[in-house]
Amino acid sequence: MGSVYDDYYKQAYDLQNHFHDVVDDQNHPQAVSLHNEMTQLTEDFKAEKDPHHMEDRLKVIDHELLQARSQGEQIMSYRDIDDLQHRYNRLRESVRQLPNY
């Protein structure tokens, strides 16, 4: 890559791995959906897609995390959901600072 997206890719990849560490039920449909979105976000950064596209994906992840909260603590703890939501929102704010946003 070697571009401005390198740091974003690393952040997305680290968040994806963190999710894998904190999720309690990896087979829960909501967890599978979240994993797919997070993986796709990482791939989007790797492919250096348009920042608006990535922001849209981050909005989907935020919505999915809200839905995970409604599942109780079946997928992961509320604390982990809040932490992930906060970290993804920070990433989203950061994406908005990209030069071609």
Side-chain angles (χ1 to χ4, degrees):
M1 290 185 303
S3 72
V4 68
Y5 287 93
D6 288 348
D7 186 48
Y8 294 100
Y9 171 80
K10 183 179 177 343
Q11 287 179 54
Y13 186 75
D14 289 347
L15 283 168
Q16 180 183 331
N17 287 333
H18 178 69
F19 171 77
H20 180 70
D21 291 342
V22 299
V23 71
D24 295 326
D25 182 0
Q26 304 229 357
N27 296 319
H28 190 284
Q30 196 71 45
V32 171
S33 181
L34 266 166
H35 179 265
N36 290 340
E37 288 295 330
M38 292 173 181
T39 301
Q40 192 57 52
L41 177 69
T42 304
E43 292 301 314
D44 289 349
F45 280 120
K46 190 174 185 177
E48 300 184 9
K49 290 200 174 179
D50 179 70
H52 291 282
H53 173 82
M54 288 183 250
E55 184 185 17
D56 289 343
R57 182 147 339 258
L58 285 159
K59 288 177 189 176
V60 170
I61 291 171
D62 185 57
H63 180 74
E64 297 260 345
L65 286 167
L66 285 173
Q67 287 181 327
R69 176 177 277 292
S70 73
Q71 300 292 321
E73 292 192 335
Q74 295 176 29
I75 301 169
M76 67 186 103
S77 74
Y78 290 128
R79 190 181 95 239
D80 289 328
I81 292 171
D82 289 343
D83 177 55
L84 281 168
Q85 208 164 18
H86 176 73
R87 292 169 72 181
Y88 273 106
N89 282 329
R90 278 199 332 236
L91 181 58
R92 184 174 162 205
E93 290 298 320
S94 185
V95 164
R96 289 179 176 173
Q97 305 304 315
L98 282 168
N100 53 346
Y101 180 77

